[in-house]
Amino acid sequence: MSSIYWYDQQFIPAEAVRISPQDRGYYFGDGVYEVYRVYNGRLFEPGLHFARLARSAAGIKLALPFGEAELQRALEELVLRNEVSEGTVYLQITRGAAPRNHLFPADARPVVMAYCNEMPRPAAAMEAGIRTITLEDTRWLHCDYKTLNLLANVLAKQTAAERGAGDAILHRGGTVTESSASNVMIVKDGRILTHPADNLILHGVTRAVALRLARAEGIPAEERAFTVDELLAADEAFVTGTTVEVTPIISVDDRPIGSGVPGPITRRLQMAFARAIGLDR
Amino acid sequence: MSSIYWYDQQFIPAEAVRISPQDRGYYFGDGVYEVYRVYNGRLFEPGLHFARLARSAAGIKLALPFGEAELQRALEELVLRNEVSEGTVYLQITRGAAPRNHLFPADARPVVMAYCNEMPRPAAAMEAGIRTITLEDTRWLHCDYKTLNLLANVLAKQTAAERGAGDAILHRGGTVTESSASNVMIVKDGRILTHPADNLILHGVTRAVALRLARAEGIPAEERAFTVDELLAADEAFVTGTTVEVTPIISVDDRPIGSGVPGPITRRLQMAFARAIGLDR
């Protein structure tokens, strides 16, 4: 755990950070967040994260209290002060503290909090793949905003764990959207398919990177929604996300995907991703 | 504002309450809440509130750290200590503080916080009624759990205010569910209609009280969903809620409801409600 937080534009010890009980993040989940990956002490794709953060903040009508360059300097300093080499940075911004009222407060200042963690790459899951279950997607209709309203995601992930699975794949009436905390892609006849970046999914940074890498590898990749049936009939499937990178899905509801082991296109994409972050594998 | 909070099973000064940045309420909105009305220094319908709280908590798999009698004693003492005569009690319970992970923590203790406020009855709005707008209901599919995931409600209420309205009436594809923070009822040909208490609406305590009072008054009241068109063609319409009680809707999207003033059945229900809380009007 990070020993130093960036909080209210200052670097302070973790134990000194205390949140007001009136923080709108606490009352309403009224805030947005990002999780950055740190490789070799450097933020991965900070520009994509900032663009998404700005989009999420605009979506909930929250004015960010910093610009892109200022934020990046602060987060880089945070990583340096915490001496994190391989890990994550968690950043969240809420609308601030004010007496409880659904209406935006006239004079609240956004509360910004960021910290970082050491976290190795998920080598075991990337190698072996994960088992998954399917669940109806019960989330709201702005999954494209990365907000603090995450209860549906929490419950889906917990249900997956209770059923012995690594993740839950969500669908709306049979159409796969994403998983509890990552995007889902399938491979069929050599082509990658994934849900379009609309209001029903989070626009994952790793999703965008994976699509870019796939195309650079000459693998056709299409943003087109697919069904649970298409998932079950896929040759390969995998999730993409900041902490899971490219992790194979080996089964869905106890039915094997493809031959039940990570497939060749998933492996190619994993290798391309490793090269993109400056590693051999 | 309450000067004394009930926090972690103790009564402490408001300024001493500080929330951990790791509280799951802050990360995920992972918690549930209730707002009680206080009339004449007494909690209104605490049994209905506890039943709903227990249902919300079960819905998100959160074990309440108190029983009904213990909670009621604590909240009554809170009201007494704060010398609130007419007001509200706000109570929330989160899953506790733990390093951020969607999965439920093994050893976190729920964080309980309650406070109260003086708040007069909304006499002006109850007398004159409110103007409303309609908005698509973008919330998740468990609006029956009273959780801290309230961003869609916040944005709806804010949009209403920005358009000069007192509230936003939400609908899913034309079927009215409820408003941003209260239930909606219409009157047509002497009958009251309101959305059934399913997963798409909050099961309002005041909604239940209003239905009970209507039936006791001999007014037929049916739990049946209605459309925006039926709302616009209604003879009367009103919202029910803990803080709004029974407040007339006089217009929807700038179109008057009925004759554009509060109707006779709404007035009868307001009087019945006043009697139910031991007042003359």
Side-chain angles (χ1 to χ4, degrees):
Chain A
M1 192 66 202
S2 184
S3 57
I4 297 165
Y5 273 54
W6 186 53
Y7 179 74
D8 197 18
Q9 328 281 79
Q10 295 188 307
F11 293 96
I12 64 171
E15 57 276 14
V17 178
R18 285 292 176 275
I19 306 301
S20 163
Q22 307 256 42
D23 193 302
R24 291 177 62 92
Y26 201 48
Y27 279 143
F28 302 114
D30 190 3
V32 294
Y33 76 105
E34 284 292 324
V35 182
Y36 295 71
R37 202 56 167 106
V38 177
Y39 294 118
N40 286 320
R42 307 271 304 170
L43 295 172
F44 183 62
E45 296 284 2
L48 291 182
H49 282 284
F50 185 81
R52 183 171 64 185
L53 179 67
R55 190 174 178 286
S56 298
I60 71 162
K61 303 180 182 177
L62 173 62
L64 290 179
F66 42 65
E68 180 169 4
E70 181 192 353
L71 175 64
Q72 189 167 336
R73 268 196 311 276
L75 298 186
E76 283 171 352
E77 184 172 344
L78 181 72
V79 169
L80 209 61
R81 284 178 180 245
N82 284 287
E83 299 176 356
V84 167
S85 168
E86 197 162 271
T88 59
V89 170
Y90 179 82
L91 165 72
Q92 81 171 42
I93 304 106
T94 73
R95 206 180 304 275
R100 187 177 185 277
N101 186 329
H102 285 55
L103 294 175
F104 296 175
D107 55 359
R109 267 194 331 147
V111 173
V112 178
M113 156 179 119
Y115 62 83
C116 43
N117 279 322
E118 279 288 342
M119 184 187 289
R121 298 177 64 209
M126 285 196 297
E127 180 56 31
I130 56 168
R131 305 174 64 239
T132 65
I133 61 169
T134 56
L135 289 176
E136 183 72 33
D137 190 344
T138 62
R139 298 174 303 161
W140 75 323
L141 298 179
H142 271 301
C143 299
D144 51 332
Y145 305 156
K146 200 167 173 74
T147 78
L148 305 178
N149 276 212
L150 291 172
L151 200 36
N153 306 68
V154 161
L155 294 173
K157 184 82 173 195
Q158 178 68 20
T159 299
E162 288 172 1
R163 296 194 195 161
D167 206 350
I169 294 174
L170 308 178
H171 64 90
R172 288 197 194 257
T175 298
V176 172
T177 48
E178 56 187 326
S179 89
S180 73
S182 56
N183 294 115
V184 179
M185 300 193 181
I186 60 173
V187 180
K188 185 69 179 179
D189 299 331
R191 300 177 67 84
I192 290 175
L193 284 182
T194 195
H195 196 286
D198 61 14
N199 63 310
L200 297 182
I201 69 161
L202 187 76
H203 303 185
V205 165
T206 310
R207 174 187 178 282
V209 170
L211 289 174
R212 189 178 76 206
L213 294 173
R215 287 160 183 160
E217 290 278 310
I219 305 167
E222 192 182 347
E223 295 177 68
R224 194 262 281 168
F226 54 87
T227 64
V228 172
D229 286 342
E230 285 180 281
L231 167 63
L232 290 168
D235 301 323
E236 307 178 30
F238 55 91
V239 290
T240 62
T242 292
T243 55
V244 299
E245 297 187 5
V246 173
T247 288
I249 294 170
I250 55 170
S251 73
V252 175
D253 293 334
D254 291 324
R255 293 166 63 172
I257 297 299
S259 52
V261 294
I265 288 184
T266 308
R267 290 295 188 219
R268 269 176 72 193
L269 212 49
Q270 288 181 324
M271 285 188 287
F273 191 87
R275 285 193 301 274
I277 61 175
L279 300 169
D280 291 334
R281 55 184 296 272
Chain B
M1 191 67 201
S2 186
S3 59
I4 297 166
Y5 273 54
W6 186 52
Y7 179 75
D8 197 18
Q9 328 281 79
Q10 295 188 306
F11 293 96
I12 64 170
E15 57 275 15
V17 178
R18 285 292 176 275
I19 307 301
S20 164
Q22 307 257 41
D23 193 302
R24 292 176 63 91
Y26 201 48
Y27 279 143
F28 303 114
D30 189 3
V32 294
Y33 77 105
E34 284 292 323
V35 181
Y36 296 70
R37 201 60 167 102
V38 176
Y39 295 117
N40 286 319
R42 307 272 302 171
L43 295 172
F44 182 62
E45 296 284 1
L48 291 181
H49 281 285
F50 186 82
R52 183 172 64 186
L53 179 66
R55 190 174 178 286
S56 298
I60 72 162
K61 302 181 184 177
L62 173 63
L64 290 178
F66 43 64
E68 180 168 5
E70 181 192 353
L71 175 64
Q72 189 166 333
R73 267 197 311 275
L75 298 186
E76 282 170 353
E77 184 171 346
L78 181 72
V79 169
L80 209 61
R81 284 178 179 245
N82 284 287
E83 299 177 357
V84 168
S85 169
E86 198 161 271
T88 59
V89 170
Y90 179 82
L91 165 72
Q92 80 171 42
I93 304 105
T94 73
R95 207 179 304 275
R100 187 177 185 280
N101 186 330
H102 285 56
L103 294 175
F104 295 174
D107 55 357
R109 268 195 330 149
V111 174
V112 178
M113 155 179 120
Y115 63 83
C116 44
N117 279 322
E118 278 287 342
M119 183 187 288
R121 298 177 63 209
M126 285 196 297
E127 180 57 29
I130 55 167
R131 304 174 65 238
T132 65
I133 60 168
T134 56
L135 289 176
E136 185 72 33
D137 190 344
T138 61
R139 298 173 303 162
W140 75 324
L141 298 180
H142 270 300
C143 299
D144 51 331
Y145 305 156
K146 200 167 174 75
T147 79
L148 304 177
N149 275 213
L150 291 171
L151 200 37
N153 305 67
V154 161
L155 294 173
K157 184 82 171 194
Q158 178 68 19
T159 299
E162 288 172 2
R163 296 194 195 161
D167 206 351
I169 293 175
L170 309 178
H171 64 89
R172 289 198 194 255
T175 297
V176 172
T177 49
E178 55 186 328
S179 89
S180 73
S182 56
N183 295 114
V184 179
M185 300 194 182
I186 61 172
V187 180
K188 185 67 178 180
D189 299 330
R191 301 177 67 83
I192 291 175
L193 283 183
T194 195
H195 196 286
D198 61 14
N199 62 311
L200 298 181
I201 68 161
L202 186 76
H203 303 184
V205 165
T206 311
R207 174 187 177 280
V209 170
L211 288 175
R212 189 177 76 206
L213 294 173
R215 287 161 183 159
E217 291 277 311
I219 305 166
E222 193 183 347
E223 295 178 68
R224 194 262 282 170
F226 54 88
T227 64
V228 172
D229 286 342
E230 285 180 280
L231 167 63
L232 290 167
D235 300 323
E236 307 178 31
F238 55 91
V239 290
T240 63
T242 293
T243 55
V244 299
E245 297 188 7
V246 174
T247 288
I249 294 170
I250 55 170
S251 73
V252 174
D253 292 334
D254 290 325
R255 293 166 64 173
I257 298 299
S259 51
V261 295
I265 287 184
T266 308
R267 289 297 189 219
R268 269 176 71 194
L269 212 49
Q270 288 182 324
M271 285 187 288
F273 190 88
R275 285 192 302 273
I277 61 175
L279 300 169
D280 290 336
R281 55 185 295 273

